Amino acid sequence: MSKNLIFLKLAFILCISLMICLPTVKAQSVQNLSTVKVDNLSDDQIRQIQKQIESTGLPNSQLEQAAIVRGMSATEVQKLRARISNLKSTVGYNLNDTTTQTIRRGPVINAPGSDTLSGGKSLIFGADLFRNGKLTFEPNLKLATPKNYVIGPDDQIQIDISGDNEAHYGLTVSPEGTIRVEYTGIINVNGLTIEQATAKIKSRLAQTYPAIRSGRTVLTISLGNIRSIKVSLLGEVSRPGSYTLSSLATVFNALYASGGPTQNGSFRNIEIIRNGSVVARLDIYDFLLKGYQTNNIRLQDQDVIHIPVYKVHAQLMGEIKHPAIFEVLPKETLADLIRFAGGFTDAAYTAKIKVQGNTDRERRIFDISSTDYSSYFPKNGDKFFVDSILNRYENRVSIRGAVFRPGEFELKPGLTLAGLINQADGIKEDAFLGRGSILRLRPDNTSEFISFNLKSILDKTTPDIPLQREDEVTISSIFDLKDEYRVSINGEVRQGGTYNYAEGMSLQDLVVLAGGFSEGASGKQIEIARRVTNSDINSFNAKTAEIYHVDVDKTLAFNGQKFVLQPFDIVTVRNNTGYSEQRQVTVEGEVLHPGSYTIETKSERISDLIIRSGGLTPLAYPPGASLRRVSVTTGTGKNKIDKSEEDRLKLSNLQRLQLGIKDSSNVNRQQVLSDNNTVGIDLVQIMKAPGSNIDLILKEGDILRVPQQLQTVKINGEVLYPVTAVYENGAGFKHYISQAGGVTQRALRKSAYVVYANGSVDNVKKFLFFTSYPDIKPGSEIFVPKKAETKGTSTLELISISTAVASLGAIILGILKL
């Protein structure tokens, strides 16, 4: 029978409960539940059964009786009850929902009188031991059978005979406790340990196999299948009842199977009852605190485990390593309770502990000093709170500034300012001797500032200053009291910049620090600009700087002559007259020899570059030629532009489309500057009139591009379908707009413009009622911009305007009446 069919049958019988609600129904009309196995049902199916059972409104006992009448065994009914109870007790589960609820994690604070945290975790020490899925206490059935294992019915005994005689027997102990061995007869092994049974069986078999006595035949006895036992758990158990366990199971196995003690159950006095007598008492704290399993005895069939109610619960919280609610035995003290919690934390205030106790009528609070920890016996309901130590020092002083070992020091009796300086290994060479300070904390926690002359204190010409708790001594450095001296150098040096000034630094020393002169530097007329400190503020021609011009040997050899610098001097090194570095330009596209060319003269022009590159090819399109002037460099190059010029360079909508850029804020600076410096040239006229004004003089970095014959026109912007159309000779602006499907409703048609292949731009012009459209040439790009978005007037704004107008009208009428 399938698992789902069994589930449906069980749900039908238990939920509708026909035997209780309709007792006249014949027994043969009800389906048989003898084949139902609860272990084969999933948790979701158990939840659905429970939900349907609750909907009938009948007690569980009556439903269980109905299930037994229908053939379901008492064991399966017990399993079903245990499964439902387990799901109910599982944190975060709701039997009316097939999903697991999320456990809300909150602060570790429990409500008054509560034994659980806000997240559902128990505060009782050890309560989570039997809910830990990683710790099952399952007996290891693969180990050798213990010698003290007591044999009982249903155990399987394996007997192996080898040597002169060969035989093997697998015998099951009968309910009477006996086994029948071939050729030997019945042997009673009930109640014997495995060691005792081995000796008895060996003695009996020796009568049949005499070689056993001489050792020529070897007899080996072991256990095969181990029997199951019935154990009952009563009292304050999470899931009380009878449990079927392995005969190797211990008390811990049974406690884990039943969920352990409840919130009211004792963890310190668990009773194991056998044949009407208590044979052992288990204290789980031995295992939790020491790892000992004292009295965790092996269970026997029909054993009873009784968990009584606890007698004394006391809670320990605050600066303790394991805050929890602990069970206290009669002779245990507060010191034992602290030991259970793992002791104090590093920040604990151990001098005394605050206690909240109970009286017959109300609660009371009192303190217990550390000397009484071992003599105070906790009472039921006591709550102990361990406070933290104060965040202050009773004997601390500190020193900082120009001393060799600044930091915090111990305030010893009689410690003075000079003594603290000695403990800090003395003052540094740059210490300011004229003044120091002490920030002192007064008895009322206000601060006062005490100044002293450091030199007088060290020379003992003035009385030393006794220090107090929390004094902070500050000794300043002479460098802390003045600007940091620097000098600057720029121009024709290899590493221009700002350098630290040192007394006696010369101009030559600074040039060496800057990496020496560059190739084109001149040692003549080096300019030094110096600050003016005595300028006449009332003079119109007052000096703002002293300028010096100095000649320096470019070899920088030391010859005894030097110009001594002063702090904040600015040195400028000029380039050598007539020195010039090579400058290059590039020609691309339809020329015979494209590539880079070095400018020969300062007056070299575009026409000269075309001639040097071999002239135009037959496929060249001169009207589309363009010149891109890359006159800036990123970094610290000599052609770097200033911020104001960079701010003037903006990307138009068309240029963003050309570059494939949506957000101009992310455009590379070099790319923006380069594309915005495209110069519209007329190469046809330039070649007709070389040297004219339109024949531009070349500059370093110029890129001359000569395209192939162009045959298309692009239409972009606020058109219905941006497209690239084939150029048609004589076709005008409107023709190409229609090629793109016309303009959109948001188009600003009067501001449309055309960018030609050579980089020049022409826009739509309007005069009175006449509109002039730019000519369209091969390679042109038409762009229709978008109208600016306008914000409509809101209702609130209309009301405000109306109110203002009405108020103004009322004022005017009032004035007219007057």
Side-chain angles (χ1 to χ4, degrees), residues 343-614:
F344 298 107
T345 65
D346 297 337
Y349 173 60
T350 60
K352 60 182 179 180
I353 294 177
K354 194 174 298 296
V355 187
Q356 292 181 3
N358 298 331
T359 66
D360 294 338
R361 294 184 55 189
E362 57 191 0
R363 297 184 65 82
R364 68 188 186 99
I365 187 169
F366 56 95
D367 294 331
I368 299 178
S369 64
S370 58
T371 56
D372 297 329
Y373 290 170
S374 299
S375 58
Y376 179 80
F377 297 95
K379 299 177 179 58
N380 190 33
D382 281 355
K383 290 186 177 182
F384 302 90
F385 184 80
V386 181
D387 207 344
S388 59
I389 58 176
L390 300 177
N391 188 21
R392 56 177 289 172
Y393 292 85
E394 63 178 12
N395 62 341
R396 178 179 66 174
V397 292
S398 59
I399 185 171
R400 61 188 179 91
V403 293
F404 284 103
R405 296 189 183 277
E408 298 175 347
F409 294 88
E410 176 188 1
L411 176 62
K412 297 179 179 179
L415 182 66
T416 62
L417 175 60
L420 179 61
I421 293 174
N422 289 332
Q423 288 191 30
D425 285 353
I427 60 173
K428 293 183 178 179
E429 296 79 1
D430 60 329
F432 178 61
L433 301 178
R435 180 181 292 271
S437 64
I438 300 174
L439 183 63
R440 175 159 292 173
L441 190 66
R442 291 173 174 170
D444 60 354
N445 278 346
T446 60
S447 299
E448 67 173 324
F449 207 78
I450 302 174
S451 300
F452 58 87
N453 188 297
L454 180 60
K455 188 174 186 303
S456 299
I457 293 291
L458 297 179
D459 293 343
K460 299 182 180 181
T461 57
T462 58
D464 205 351
I465 301 175
L467 296 180
Q468 299 180 10
R469 185 183 70 85
E470 296 297 342
D471 277 355
E472 296 180 7
V473 180
T474 301
I475 298 176
S476 301
S477 167
I478 58 175
F479 300 112
D480 297 334
L481 305 177
K482 63 180 180 180
D483 289 339
E484 188 175 3
Y485 288 168
R486 291 179 175 272
V487 289
S488 302
I489 184 170
N490 56 66
E492 297 296 331
V493 290
R494 298 179 65 238
Q495 297 174 1
T498 301
Y499 294 87
N500 291 328
Y501 172 80
E503 192 73 26
M505 177 184 284
S506 67
L507 173 61
Q508 292 89 335
D509 297 330
L510 181 58
V511 174
V512 172
L513 288 175
F517 293 110
S518 63
E519 181 65 26
S522 171
K524 306 292 184 181
Q525 293 294 304
I526 296 178
E527 182 180 285
I528 299 97
R530 182 164 294 168
R531 286 185 179 180
V532 175
T533 58
N534 57 355
S535 178
D536 185 3
I537 191 173
N538 296 319
S539 173
F540 179 77
N541 294 322
K543 280 192 171 184
T544 58
E546 293 282 352
I547 304 298
Y548 302 91
H549 291 92
V550 180
D551 294 341
V552 175
D553 183 7
K554 287 187 66 175
T555 63
L556 299 175
F558 181 78
N559 53 13
Q561 298 180 355
K562 62 179 182 178
F563 181 87
V564 179
L565 299 176
Q566 295 294 327
F568 312 112
D569 280 354
I570 299 176
V571 178
T572 303
V573 180
R574 312 294 181 189
N575 62 335
N576 198 3
T577 305
Y579 177 83
S580 178
E581 295 181 357
Q582 301 94 324
R583 294 178 173 84
Q584 288 196 317
V585 294
T586 303
V587 59
E588 300 175 349
E590 295 300 318
V591 294
L592 292 178
H593 303 293
S596 297
Y597 291 83
T598 301
I599 299 175
E600 294 185 27
T601 64
K602 292 183 178 181
S603 61
E604 189 166 357
R605 298 175 181 268
I606 294 176
S607 58
D608 300 324
L609 181 59
I610 293 295
I611 294 172
R612 290 178 61 187
S613 63

Side-chain angles (χ1 to χ4, degrees), residues 605-675:
R605 298 175 181 268
I606 294 176
S607 58
D608 300 324
L609 181 59
I610 293 295
I611 294 172
R612 290 178 61 187
S613 63
L616 304 177
T617 67
L619 295 178
Y621 180 62
S626 63
L627 179 69
R628 193 176 70 179
R629 179 144 288 173
V630 185
S631 59
V632 296
T633 58
T634 56
T636 58
K638 289 179 285 185
N639 293 327
K640 181 181 179 181
I641 67 170
D642 58 18
K643 185 70 170 62
S644 61
E645 182 179 353
E646 183 176 358
D647 289 340
R648 292 195 300 268
L649 299 174
K650 304 294 182 182
L651 278 178
S652 68
N653 292 331
L654 176 62
Q655 290 164 330
R656 284 199 296 269
L657 289 172
Q658 290 173 330
L659 296 173
I661 299 168
K662 296 181 179 178
D663 184 5
S664 59
S665 63
N666 297 327
V667 181
N668 178 272
R669 176 176 179 270
Q670 180 66 52
Q671 185 182 9
V672 173
L673 296 176
S674 299
D675 283 79

